[in-house]
Amino acid sequence: MLYHALLLVSTLTVSFSFFLVYKVAVLEDDINKLRGDISNLKPHSKESPDGMITGMSRTWERSKQVASLNSQQQRQTAKDSQTLCSSTASSLRMKREQAGCSGGTVGNVTVIPWIVALHQGEAISSTGDRIIIQQGGFFIVFGQVLFQSPGTIMGHIVRSRGTDQRSTELLRCLQEMPQTNCANTCHTGGMVKLEREDELELVIPDRPQAQVSMDADSTFFGIIRLN
């Protein structure tokens, strides 16, 4: 009886040993296959970071080119600009326009005596109280007037006059004035397309008694070329 038990244990031990040897062999084979797959993947893993770095480098170069172009455009824009500000004159000038000459506002208009505060580039010039366009294109036009007239509606318009002497209203601003502490700013601005030799002016229509602050930081008129 004991003999048979020992024989059974020996048989099981040998069988289990063979099974372990088989499993070890299978595992070694799997490990070798994995090593081969990893070896095949190594060139791709090297190329992928390089490709990513190359793509990032190209993106960085494009970003620098775009930034450089934007900087050049900004410098070009800064070269083509003009700002007029109100002078220290104690009174405003009045100009009467004849019917049929302007094609726009007819009657008395108040003209502010401007002086040149900033002028850069050759695309814009000025004469008298008008801005002259030397190179056509798109422009940012802006204007502000600080009114000091009590109890009424004040405002101004920015208009252009072409070579045919017809006037076109570009921008308009209206502001209601209080009865007391009568100081209110009327500001307007926008993008417009202008042709060569167009003339721009800012005027106050139909307000012969307009009282305007003549400080340069309160009343001004300007233009910036975009292209």
Side-chain angles (χ1 to χ4, degrees), residues 113-179:
W114 302 108
I115 60 173
V116 177
L118 172 67
H119 183 192
Q120 296 183 340
E122 300 178 354
I124 308 165
S125 64
S126 62
T127 177
D129 301 315
R130 295 181 179 179
I131 295 175
I132 312 299
I133 305 302
Q134 302 296 341
Q135 299 177 18
F138 289 93
F139 296 81
I140 294 292
V141 180
F142 57 92
Q144 175 176 296
V145 178
L146 176 56
F147 291 100
Q148 296 176 325
S149 301
T152 184
I153 296 178
M154 302 299 296
H156 64 265
I157 62 173
V158 176
R159 60 188 180 184
S160 66
R161 190 187 304 273
T163 54
D164 58 358
Q165 294 303 306
R166 294 185 59 83
S167 180
T168 301
E169 183 178 315
L170 302 177
L171 303 169
R172 173 182 289 269
C173 183
L174 294 175
Q175 184 67 271
E176 185 175 359
M177 302 296 299
Q179 291 287 351

Side-chain angles (χ1 to χ4, degrees), residues 11-98:
T11 303
L12 290 176
T13 301
V14 172
S15 300
F16 185 72
S17 299
F18 279 114
F19 178 77
L20 289 178
V21 171
Y22 172 76
K23 283 295 184 181
V24 169
V26 171
L27 289 174
E28 287 180 351
D29 184 62
D30 292 339
I31 291 172
N32 290 332
K33 287 182 179 180
L34 288 174
R35 286 177 178 174
D37 293 338
I38 293 172
S39 299
N40 293 332
L41 290 174
K42 279 183 179 180
H44 299 287
S45 63
K46 290 181 180 179
E47 290 177 4
S48 178
D50 292 342
M52 182 180 296
I53 293 173
T54 302
M56 291 175 64
S57 300
R58 291 176 180 174
T59 303
W60 175 249
E61 290 297 328
R62 287 195 295 269
S63 299
K64 290 195 295 184
Q65 292 175 359
V66 171
S68 176
L69 179 60
N70 290 337
S71 178
Q72 292 176 1
Q73 291 176 345
Q74 291 174 357
R75 287 196 296 269
Q76 181 64 30
T77 298
K79 291 180 180 178
D80 298 328
S81 63
Q82 186 174 61
T83 302
L84 309 180
C85 63
S86 54
S87 70
T88 56
S90 59
S91 61
L92 304 181
R93 296 200 299 271
M94 297 298 299
K95 182 174 64 175
R96 181 179 296 276
E97 295 190 346
Q98 301 299 324

Side-chain angles (χ1 to χ4, degrees), residues 1-8:
M1 186 70 177
L2 181 59
Y3 172 77
H4 290 291
L6 292 174
L7 180 61
L8 179 60

